[in-house]
Amino acid sequence: MNIHQQLLSAKQRISAICRRNSKDYVSRLQLASINAQLDDMEAVIECCKEAIEINPDIPDAHYNLGFALHRLGKLDDADLSYRNAIRCHPAHNQAHLNLGALLRDRGNLDEAFLHFEKVLKQQPDQAEALYGCGICCMDKDNYSDAAAYFRDYIKLHSDSCEAHCKLGISLMQLGHIQQATEWIKTAAQLDPEHAETYLYEKHIQYSCHSPSTSSRQKRKSVDIDESRKNTLIEAS
C-alpha cells in the first residue's frame, strides 16, 4: 500500500469516527491534516470549521483553516483565521510567519515585520523570519538592516542563491560595491541561471566601467529562459 492509499484509508477510518461523534473536534483536526496531505483544501476548510464550531479556542484549527484559505487565494479570510490562531495562542510562530508573509505580499510591510520579529524574539535563528525581516527592510529601502538579516539567514542556509543575491543588492544600494560584487558572484556560482543575479551582476559591472566583462555576461544571460529573466524572486 503506497502513501496515497494509506492516507485514503486513514481518511475513511477517521471520517467514520467523526460521523459517530459530533463533538469530537480532535478527530476532525486529524482529518483536516490528512486532507491537507491529500491537497484537498476545501475538505480541510470543512473539517476546521466543524472543529471550531465545537471548540472555538483551538489555535491549530484556526491556523489550518487560514493555511487552506491562503492556498486557495482567499486572503481576507486567511488573514482573519491566522489572527484568530494568534488570539488563541499568541506564541503560535507558524501563524505569525504565514500572516507576516501574507501581509508582506499585500504591501503591509510594517505589520508584516512585526510578526516576523515576534517569531525571532522566541527563536532568534528562525530562518524564515530572518528572511522575511530582510525582505521587509529591503522593500522599505532600509538596506543596512536588510543586509544584517540576510547575513544571519546565510549563516543558516549558506547554499541560498536568493539570499546571497539579496545581500549583494542591499550592499550595492549602500555603496559597498566590492562587497556586493563578491556576494553576487557567489549567488551566480550557486545558481548560474538565477535571472536576478545576472541582472545585478551586469549592473555592477557597468557601474565599474567593465564593458568587455558586461558583454560576456550579456551573451550568457541570453540563454536564460525569457520567463525567468523577468522574474523577481520573493521569499515564500
Side-chain angles (χ1 to χ4, degrees):
M1 184 181 294
N2 60 34
I3 294 176
H4 184 74
Q5 291 172 327
Q6 290 175 16
L7 289 170
L8 290 176
S9 176
K11 178 176 180 175
Q12 186 176 22
R13 176 172 53 81
I14 297 175
S15 293
I17 295 172
C18 292
R19 287 193 296 271
R20 289 197 301 269
N21 188 344
S22 62
K23 299 298 182 183
D24 185 352
Y25 65 84
V26 174
S27 292
R28 283 166 172 79
L29 287 177
Q30 292 174 336
L31 188 57
S33 176
I34 291 171
N35 284 321
Q37 294 176 72
L38 291 168
D39 202 30
D40 187 349
M41 293 301 125
E42 293 289 357
V44 173
I45 291 171
E46 181 181 355
C47 292
C48 289
K49 285 184 175 179
E50 288 180 3
I52 290 168
E53 188 173 347
I54 298 167
N55 185 345
D57 296 321
I58 315 168
D60 283 345
H62 290 288
Y63 168 75
N64 290 334
L65 176 57
F67 174 82
L69 290 165
H70 200 165
R71 282 281 305 276
L72 294 176
K74 300 178 180 179
L75 301 185
D76 289 337
D77 292 336
D79 182 302
L80 178 60
S81 292
Y82 289 143
R83 293 181 192 277
N84 284 334
I86 292 167
R87 173 183 55 78
C88 295
H89 180 40
H92 198 302
N93 281 351
Q94 198 58 52
H96 281 294
L97 289 170
N98 284 22
L99 180 55
L102 188 156
L103 291 167
R104 183 196 64 214
D105 290 344
R106 302 181 97 180
N108 194 341
L109 300 176
D110 289 333
E111 189 178 1
F113 182 86
L114 290 176
H115 285 284
F116 292 131
E117 195 175 41
K118 285 179 181 178
V119 175
L120 292 176
K121 287 180 179 177
Q122 299 177 72
Q123 295 178 256
D125 60 349
Q126 213 291 334
E128 190 177 345
L130 289 168
Y131 196 94
C133 283
I135 294 294
C136 287
C137 289
M138 195 174 186
D139 288 349
K140 292 179 64 180
D141 298 336
N142 182 355
Y143 296 107
S144 179
D145 285 350
Y149 283 115
F150 291 133
R151 286 183 192 276
D152 287 343
Y153 179 88
I154 289 169
K155 290 176 184 177
L156 302 171
H157 293 283
S158 60
D159 60 346
S160 172
C161 170
E162 294 176 19
H164 281 80
C165 181
K166 298 293 189 190
L167 176 53
I169 294 168
S170 298
L171 291 168
M172 183 180 69
Q173 294 292 342
L174 292 168
H176 304 315
I177 302 301
Q178 185 174 352
Q179 292 181 49
T181 301
E182 293 304 315
W183 290 103
I184 294 290
K185 283 182 178 178
T186 302
Q189 292 168 0
L190 290 168
D191 183 357
E193 293 189 350
H194 189 263
E196 191 176 21
T197 299
Y198 275 124
L199 294 175
Y200 279 95
E201 193 172 15
K202 288 195 294 180
H203 180 86
I204 289 173
Q205 289 161 352
Y206 277 122
S207 68
C208 293
H209 307 292
S210 303
S212 59
T213 308
S214 297
S215 297
R216 289 197 300 272
Q217 261 329 113
K218 187 174 183 179
R219 287 196 297 272
K220 285 181 67 179
S221 67
V222 169
D223 296 330
I224 303 175
D225 184 273
E226 287 295 325
S227 62
R228 298 194 66 190
K229 284 170 69 179
N230 296 321
T231 300
L232 292 178
I233 306 300
E234 294 291 344
S236 72

